Amino acid sequence: MLVFAISDKGGTGRSVTSTNIAFRRALQGDDVCYLDFDFGSPTVGAIFGVRSAERGTERGGMHSYLQEKTEDPYRVDIWTDSDRSALRSRPPGAGQLILLPGDSSGGEFPASPRAVDRCVRLFSRLREEFDLCMVDLSAGRSYAADMVLAATARAELSDVPFRWLVFHRWTRQHIIAAAGLVFERRGLLDVGAAHGHDKTALAERIRFVRTAVVEANAPERSALRSTQLAWLDECDRDLHELARRHGVGRTAMLGKVPLDPVLQWREQILVDEDVYASQIANESTIRAFDHIATKIFDARAWEGL
Amino acid sequence: MLIMGEVQTGLLRNLGELGEPKCREVLGLVSGEEPRTSMRPLPYAISPEQFTGVDCRLPGVSGARIRGTGTVAQHAVIVGGRVLQASAYATVVAGAADHRLPWSHYLARPGDIEVHGRPRWADMAEGFMAAEMPMDALNLSAIGGRLMAAVQESPHLDGKTPFKSTRTHLRWVLWRGEAGAPPLLLTLGKGSLRTLRLTGEPATDVTAFCEDLALHDWLLTTIQAIIQRALIGTAAPSQIAARLAPAIDHLMHLWMPGARVPDSYQHLWKELERRPGFSRQWASSVTRIRDQIAVNTLSLLSAAVMTESGHEPDGDISPHRGASQDDP
Ligand SMILES: Nc1ncnc2c1ncn2[C@@H]1O[C@H](COP(=O)(O)OP(=O)(O)O)[C@@H](O)[C@H]1O
Ligand SMILES: [Mg+2]
């Protein structure tokens, strides 16, 4: 299974959320590979606590592989190479967790036919080894998105299931932007169709994930006055209505992740220890990641809208 | 003189076991020549040698910039219609000159790389065993990787595998060695890398031994990964049995150490059997799997008896990692 993580804007929580989902899936027993295709800023290494690949690698990462400069892209085994001790022991029954970082000196590059070929080869190769490949794409309409849309339309990958997760914050602007990224002119559906995807089928493989959401029953709200609460509830209703009108409503949503105090401070993987031992992160955040990690593979969550 | 090589081993991208005629077609297509095949003791196919020209820095721990020019030999192997290996190797020899000669010179010596200047064998051998080589050094992994990809992308294969597994890389070197060096030293490196130091007179028929060792190391690695993931002692017996099934269906019958190794290298297998005890480890994994299957059979039987006597058997959670992996 290939899962593409995208967002219209930077700073939505795409990388933090998708890495945490990948981590939960590995804990659930799947062999997981996380690919950093955010070519403009390959920083996923930092989230996994891998100092040597904090801003990508110099040893031939994703950029080098896709541009035919290396045959074996550099791999980081999170269970052994993370500098965060809480990540450095593989729990019993957990699957592999491998990061393929970008190049530290790489930038955006066009999705040439050669690059698409390489991308097809990479995905086919990873399929031998992994149950889930999570691909973190650059924000917005990017070469990276263009390349993977072209690759997944190719015959060689026709029987590899794939899904798209569109991450957005729960605000007016983000809702409208996320919808635009998918449905508007030159959006994912348009570009996908140009590469030979069936638009309806492609739409069924796209779901939205809301990040850093303040829930109605969140503890933060207890400090508010009743007038403020009423106002917030009204805003929330407006947002739901707006989301529905833009095709980003409840049915198109795969899950939502609550605002988390730890993630607000730092981009990191939440381990159970953060919740139960040091009690700094919220259990509901981990549960949300777990829930999405399960739903990605739940056929019922991906039936026609 | 020394020989250095790398063997990559992985599961062939095809759901079913590949029959002999198909193996011929697949390997024939990548090399353009007829592969050799044999049926006993296991179906085996090997492509004819191909050569890749190289002109690059040679590995070394000292950091000295030593260059070499010549060709790397490579061939692909399919064992049991199931396991694919790409083997790339070169014989490094002292050069006829300290600069690059016309290509015709190197083409007359296929599989040799000539060193420009004075070779430092020990330095080169150790450099080749290092986990991270300089990016511009001779990269047998890339040459093997391309061959592996060419086979895996064959239109004669259906592109799917019956279970997920990791490729292993066995990097090896054979030379006369320093005085007192053991005949063989196998080390499990980072991730899927293994290194093998062999001491003896360099001869290219050693590749058959290295490939056989790489195959068995891969089998052991893969079966142990399957066992580790089956959560024996935690999961339900039926679930454990389903997770162990690929080992029984696809791997167990492939264990035949030394079957294709020339007599002159059989003593090396004996050494490996003594320490780390390859077949001992394999036997203990196989026993573990058989025991679990027996437990599952027993629990199925007792469930059947319970049902007959009017009790409901326990609900069976469907296995998370079953036969078909990708299906949504
Ligand atoms: N659930 C959350 N609660 C609070 N902060 C979050 C949450 N998810 C992400 N963040 C924070 O939002 C910021 C942007 O996240 P990041 O994943 O880097 O965004 P992107 O990849 O979309 O650019 C980071 O500081 C991150 O820690
Ligand atoms: Mg990011």
Side-chain angles (χ1 to χ4, degrees):
Chain A
M1 168 92 67
L2 287 163
V3 176
F4 301 107
I6 197 169
S7 59
D8 185 62
K9 298 172 184 293
T12 56
R14 165 178 35 87
S15 303
V16 164
T17 313
S18 57
T19 48
N20 273 283
I21 294 170
F23 174 69
R24 299 315 297 183
R25 197 71 212 171
L27 289 184
Q28 292 171 16
D30 271 4
D31 287 321
V32 175
C33 184
Y34 193 97
L35 290 76
D36 197 345
F37 272 31
D38 186 348
F39 298 130
S41 66
T43 52
V44 172
I47 302 178
F48 282 111
V50 182
R51 237 174 276 135
S52 60
E54 227 159 43
R55 285 185 174 52
T57 177
E58 277 159 18
R59 300 202 53 88
M62 288 291 92
H63 296 75
S64 293
Y65 180 84
L66 293 165
Q67 295 178 93
E68 300 176 83
K69 290 179 199 149
T70 180
E71 270 318 295
D72 325 283
Y74 190 66
R75 294 165 67 117
V76 181
D77 182 340
I78 302 301
W79 298 133
T80 59
D81 297 349
S82 173
D83 292 294
R84 230 187 120 191
S85 60
L87 289 178
R88 234 183 7 251
S89 59
R90 181 167 167 178
Q96 290 201 74
L97 184 57
I98 301 288
L99 165 67
L100 300 185
D103 286 20
S104 47
S105 54
E108 298 282 345
F109 58 92
S112 67
R114 302 279 294 253
V116 174
D117 283 347
R118 295 289 281 184
C119 188
V120 170
R121 174 173 279 196
L122 180 67
F123 291 162
S124 312
R125 155 99 178 72
L126 294 175
R127 185 191 185 194
E128 290 172 27
E129 194 173 348
F130 298 101
D131 302 295
L132 169 65
C133 291
M134 177 80 81
V135 186
D136 190 28
L137 301 168
S138 312
R141 295 159 169 80
S142 65
Y143 289 132
D146 191 31
M147 179 174 65
V148 301
L149 280 167
T152 49
R154 289 265 296 265
E156 298 95 308
L157 295 178
S158 63
D159 58 358
V160 180
F162 67 86
R163 290 144 172 21
W164 285 76
L165 299 182
V166 182
F167 294 87
H168 65 89
R169 298 224 166 193
W170 190 232
T171 68
R172 276 193 79 80
Q173 285 208 7
H174 276 92
I175 290 168
I176 294 169
L181 175 65
V182 176
F183 303 111
E184 269 173 21
R185 232 167 59 80
R186 298 199 312 110
L188 291 183
L189 292 178
D190 268 4
V191 175
H195 286 301
H197 283 282
D198 176 76
K199 240 184 188 178
T200 323
L202 182 58
E204 280 175 15
R205 295 174 176 213
I206 301 175
R207 291 290 184 274
F208 296 86
V209 175
R210 300 173 191 169
T211 56
V213 178
V214 180
E215 289 290 357
N217 55 1
E220 293 85 347
R221 293 184 42 139
S222 59
L224 299 180
R225 286 193 298 276
S226 64
T227 45
Q228 291 173 316
L229 286 172
W231 180 78
L232 273 181
D233 287 337
E234 197 183 314
C235 289
D236 205 47
R237 268 196 304 280
D238 282 353
L239 288 180
H240 279 290
E241 176 53 24
L242 178 78
R244 198 188 52 74
R245 269 190 285 121
H246 280 83
V248 186
R250 220 182 289 279
T251 43
M253 176 188 83
L254 195 72
K256 53 183 169 181
V257 182
L259 181 88
D260 187 275
V262 172
L263 298 183
Q264 209 168 8
W265 280 102
R266 212 164 58 179
E267 298 77 5
Q268 69 166 58
I269 298 295
L270 289 187
V271 295
D272 292 357
E273 206 176 285
D274 296 324
V275 174
Y276 303 110
S278 43
Q279 305 204 334
I280 48 173
N282 289 329
E283 190 191 350
S284 57
T285 314
I286 287 196
R287 258 192 282 123
F289 291 145
D290 246 333
H291 180 69
I292 298 171
T294 309
K295 268 190 129 177
I296 288 175
F297 284 80
D298 178 0
R300 278 166 307 174
W302 297 88
E303 277 158 9
L305 293 180
Chain B
M1 177 161 104
L2 65 72
I3 309 183
M4 48 174 76
E6 186 183 295
V7 187
Q8 296 183 32
T9 307
L11 205 54
L12 190 66
R13 261 186 227 154
N14 199 59
L15 267 187
E17 233 164 64
L18 210 62
E20 197 249 8
K22 281 268 187 227
C23 286
R24 282 183 166 279
E25 281 177 63
V26 168
L27 294 186
L29 215 61
V30 291
S31 63
E33 282 175 74
E34 270 297 291
R36 277 189 295 121
T37 59
S38 63
M39 288 309 288
R40 277 157 202 268
L42 271 177
Y44 175 90
I46 178 168
S47 71
E49 225 65 72
Q50 287 175 283
F51 299 93
T52 304
V54 291
D55 176 23
C56 60
R57 183 175 171 184
L58 293 171
V61 272
S62 66
R65 296 197 155 262
I66 296 181
R67 291 188 71 82
T69 310
T71 53
V72 172
Q74 78 256 20
H75 59 247
V77 173
I78 300 176
V79 184
R82 180 59 79 195
V83 183
L84 173 66
Q85 297 189 292
S87 186
Y89 58 97
T91 306
V92 185
V93 297
D98 57 7
H99 57 273
R100 209 178 118 177
L101 299 170
W103 264 109
S104 54
H105 172 82
Y106 302 105
L107 290 178
R109 297 157 180 77
D112 283 5
I113 295 178
E114 294 193 1
V115 181
H116 306 180
R118 202 171 59 83
R120 294 156 65 179
W121 302 118
D123 186 55
M124 202 184 296
E126 275 319 298
F128 188 61
M129 299 284 102
E132 295 197 340
M133 272 187 273
M135 292 292 285
D136 55 350
L138 174 68
N139 190 343
L140 296 187
S141 202
I143 294 174
R146 270 195 293 274
L147 179 57
M148 202 87 174
V151 177
Q152 296 286 43
E153 284 160 17
S154 163
H156 296 293
L157 302 177
D158 61 24
K160 298 174 198 164
T161 54
F163 61 97
K164 307 283 177 195
S165 65
T166 304
R167 281 188 199 173
T168 54
H169 297 243
L170 174 78
R171 225 183 270 159
W172 58 269
V173 59
L174 166 62
W175 67 300
R176 268 184 224 157
E178 319 257 34
L184 162 151
L185 184 65
L186 175 68
T187 314
L188 296 193
K190 230 183 98 206
S192 61
L193 179 69
R194 287 92 177 83
T195 54
L196 174 67
R197 294 167 173 83
L198 297 169
T199 310
E201 271 318 307
T204 54
D205 63 352
V206 74
T207 52
F209 168 74
C210 297
E211 287 152 23
D212 197 44
L213 171 54
L215 169 70
H216 289 87
D217 170 68
W218 180 84
L219 285 170
L220 203 50
T221 305
T222 307
I223 208 166
Q224 285 176 347
I226 291 176
I227 292 175
Q228 191 250 331
R229 310 290 299 288
L231 286 178
I232 293 174
T234 314
S238 60
Q239 218 170 353
I240 297 173
R243 288 177 185 161
L244 294 175
I248 301 170
D249 297 343
H250 310 295
L251 300 180
M252 278 191 183
H253 63 285
L254 298 176
W255 189 264
M256 245 171 243
R260 294 191 176 280
V261 174
D263 286 345
S264 49
Y265 298 102
Q266 287 292 352
H267 68 284
L268 294 179
W269 253 122
K270 289 220 182 71
E271 190 65 26
L272 286 166
E273 291 294 25
R274 207 170 56 78
R275 222 161 37 98
F278 261 58
S279 290
R280 260 199 316 278
Q281 293 182 50
W282 178 258
S284 104
S285 301
V286 167
T287 310
R288 197 120 193 253
I289 290 175
R290 295 229 162 100
D291 287 350
Q292 288 303 315
I293 302 298
V295 168
N296 182 47
T297 313
L298 278 179
S299 76
L300 284 178
L301 283 175
S302 67
V305 172
M306 297 270 266
T307 321
E308 266 172 30
S309 60
H311 296 280
E312 285 291 315
D314 279 351
D316 180 345
I317 316 143
S318 69
H320 176 64
R321 296 171 64 87
S324 105
Q325 294 278 330
D326 272 333
D327 295 335

